[in-house]
Structure formats: structure tokens, C-alpha cells
Amino acid sequence: MIVRLHVRRFFCDQSQYQRRTFVEQVAGLTEPRRRSSPAARSVMRAVATELGGRPGQRLCAKLRLHGRRTALLAQLVAPPVPARAPRILGIDEFAFRKGRTYGTVLVDVENSRPVDVLPNRETSSVAAWLHEHPGAEIVCRDRLMAFTKAIKQAAPDALEVADRWHLLQNLSTAAEKTCRRHRACLRRPATTDAGPLPTAPATPLLDRVRQRHRDVNELAATGLSLSAIGRRLQLDRKTVRRYRHSDLEDLLASARDRGAGLLDPFTDYVQHRFQAGCTSSTQLYRELIGLGYAGGYHVVNRYVGSSMN
């Protein structure tokens, strides 16, 4: 919407002043040297915050706002950092470049708003920020030890709590380790009436586990060390140790759990087509899509590759 205004222009006839003309301003609608109203800029700032440049530009076109990508990004001005830290402060790391460079984000947990961003995740940087911005009563952090040291140095009276995501991750990891450690207790024993337990179906993954378990134990029986076995079989020492000290049934059960996925209902069809001479992953993927397969191409390609080995 375009608003046309008729305003007064004032002239100054004093030569000692640089400015000679002054235009009347309408409070809340116009500002000096601005081509848009404060309300329009507020809307553009909200669009830029939520969508960014190009998506925001497309939305502005729908809303009939003259907001190009660069103009939207120019609206993103960093908010001022408060003098005191929020009562519940969240500290977490993030990656500028994963595996290379990391930073620290500080968040007001109660208002769900970012407070500040630090260029690294060092103890000294976080401690310096906490010294300059006191007032945090509760600090919600992840498991990085640098954050723990910084809190103990700069905010020793603050209560440290773990965030929800890491609590769930710790719980799931502990539950998984416990179940794997006591897998034998969970296995149903065979009875004479029911007969022996059915053997696992032959798949490339399970065959590879059986063969690897056999090779590791045969070489270990000759007196070779774990490192020597790993060099001969081209396996990591940790993998050799797991195959050496784990029961074959546990390894097979773990492989079945790891191999379960979207492709499982279609493996019989893939094996049938593979034996019929169709070894093209692309062709098999197209046929599976027609049968209702909802997974990705790389899963089919990996399965076909393992079947050919």
C-alpha cells in the first residue's frame, strides 16, 4: 500500500547553516531519509528474522512490500546484550564448520531467545562473559567440560543442570548398553516340546559376521595378538576385540538389529530379481518404488553391493 502525503517544506535563509530545507515529519509514519514507514520496516524485520533473504523476498512480493533480499538482510540488527545474564541461562556449542571451528551460544531459557554468541567454546571466553554479565541462578548446559569449568570459576553459586536432549541421550545410551550386556538373559530358552530355536536366515551381513567371527577366533587360537589379527584381516583393533570376546549369537543379534529397516519387507523380492540377473540398483529401486518402498536409493545400492560381494 502506498500512502501519499502533502507535507510542508521549510526553508532557512541563514547562510552559516549547511542545511537549507526541512521537511515536516508525521510522527509514527515518516522518518528523515526513509522510504518506508516504521510499521513496514517492523514487518520486514520480522520476515527477515523468520525466513532470511530470498524466501523473505518472495513473501514480501506476496504481501506487496518492496523488500528485496539485501534490504531484508539489512534489517537484521543484532539486539543489545543485556548487562546481566538471564535468571536461567542456557549454554551450548554449535559448529561454524563441523569438526573444525565451534562457537558458543547463550540463550535465555525462560524467554526462548538468544542472548549472545561467542566465537569459540573455550573456558576462558565463557568465564569472561559470565564475569561481565552476572545474575545467572540456573545454568542449563551440555556435557562439555569447558563449560563446567567456566561456571565453577565465574558463577560458582549457580545451579548446573543438564538439558533435556542430553538427558534423553544419556538414558538411551545406558539402556542400550544394559540390554546388550544382558542379552542372554532376554533370550527365550529352547524347550524340548518346541524343538530347537530357528536359525537366523542367511543374509550377506550375517554371513559376513559369521565368517569374521570364525577368522578372528582361528587366528587368536594360533597365539596372534589382537593388533596382529587386525593387521592381517584389515580390521580395527577394537573390532577384533569385540569379535574375540563376544558370543556369536550376540553378534548376530546385534547385526539383525542394525540391519532392520525399510528394505526388509522387500529383500526377498530383491534376491529373486538378483538371481534372475537384474543387478542394476537403479532398476531395482524403480521397481521397489512401484511396490511401495519408501526408503532411499542408497539403501538399495548398498544392499545390492553387499549381495555381490
Side-chain angles (χ1 to χ4, degrees):
M1 181 178 64
I2 299 177
V3 179
R4 299 185 181 276
L5 294 176
H6 292 278
V7 295
R8 294 175 294 178
R9 180 180 293 273
F10 302 98
F11 294 87
C12 178
D13 56 0
Q14 301 295 324
S15 60
Q16 65 268 28
Y17 298 111
Q18 184 177 2
R19 292 189 60 184
R20 295 300 182 90
T21 64
F22 302 87
V23 178
E24 181 183 16
Q25 301 295 329
V26 179
L29 187 60
T30 63
E31 291 181 355
R33 297 184 179 87
R34 295 287 188 178
R35 304 185 65 178
S36 58
S37 66
R41 289 199 304 277
S42 176
V43 173
M44 293 170 60
R45 188 178 302 110
V47 171
T49 302
E50 297 296 333
L51 299 179
R54 298 185 188 277
Q57 179 179 342
R58 292 193 291 268
L59 178 59
C60 286
K62 297 291 184 180
L63 299 177
R64 297 184 179 276
L65 288 175
H66 296 280
R68 299 188 63 83
R69 176 175 61 89
T70 54
L72 289 173
L73 296 179
Q75 300 292 329
L76 297 178
V77 181
V81 179
R84 293 182 60 84
R87 190 179 71 89
I88 304 179
L89 177 66
I91 303 179
D92 201 355
E93 60 178 344
F94 69 95
F96 291 109
R97 186 178 180 186
K98 192 171 183 180
R100 299 289 186 87
T101 309
Y102 288 85
T104 302
V105 59
L106 300 106
V107 181
D108 185 348
V109 177
E110 291 183 303
N111 297 322
S112 300
R113 289 188 175 276
V115 175
D116 203 352
V117 175
L118 304 182
N120 54 55
R121 54 179 180 179
E122 302 296 332
T123 300
S124 57
S125 300
V126 179
W129 193 94
L130 292 174
H131 274 301
E132 296 173 0
H133 305 82
E137 300 178 8
I138 302 174
V139 180
C140 180
R141 60 170 182 82
D142 70 356
R143 298 177 295 182
L144 192 65
M145 290 302 299
F147 295 157
T148 303
K149 295 179 181 178
I151 296 169
K152 293 186 182 302
Q153 292 177 11
D157 297 331
L159 176 64
E160 297 183 50
V161 298
D163 60 67
R164 185 184 308 171
W165 188 89
H166 285 96
L167 284 176
L168 294 176
Q169 185 190 42
N170 292 344
L171 176 61
S172 62
T173 302
E176 182 179 0
K177 289 182 178 179
T178 303
C179 291
R180 291 190 182 279
R181 189 180 303 116
H182 299 282
R183 185 183 295 274
C185 303
L186 303 176
R187 192 180 301 123
R188 181 181 300 174
T191 60
T192 55
D193 297 335
L197 290 174
T199 58
T203 64
L205 176 60
L206 298 182
D207 291 342
R208 186 164 60 249
V209 171
R210 292 189 183 96
Q211 183 64 39
R212 186 170 293 175
H213 182 268
R214 186 183 308 112
D215 294 341
V216 168
N217 284 275
E218 288 178 355
L219 292 176
T222 62
L224 291 178
S225 64
L226 298 181
S227 299
I229 296 174
R231 287 192 296 269
R232 180 168 299 188
L233 299 179
Q234 297 182 351
L235 297 174
D236 186 80
R237 188 176 184 277
K238 296 179 181 178
T239 304
V240 175
R241 183 172 63 242
R242 182 164 63 90
Y243 275 87
R244 180 70 181 92
H245 300 294
S246 298
D247 184 68
L248 178 59
E249 292 300 325
D250 292 341
L251 295 172
L252 292 175
S254 177
R256 284 193 295 269
D257 295 342
R258 187 172 66 252
L262 296 174
L263 189 61
D264 287 354
F266 306 95
T267 52
D268 292 339
Y269 177 82
V270 174
Q271 289 291 338
H272 174 72
R273 295 287 291 124
F274 192 80
Q275 294 173 2
C278 180
T279 59
S280 171
S281 301
T282 304
Q283 179 61 31
L284 289 172
Y285 174 69
R286 292 171 180 170
E287 295 177 6
L288 292 176
I289 289 295
L291 296 176
Y293 171 65
Y297 165 78
H298 67 281
V299 178
V300 179
N301 185 45
R302 185 168 61 246
Y303 183 82
V304 172
S306 63
S307 300
M308 295 178 64
N309 294 332

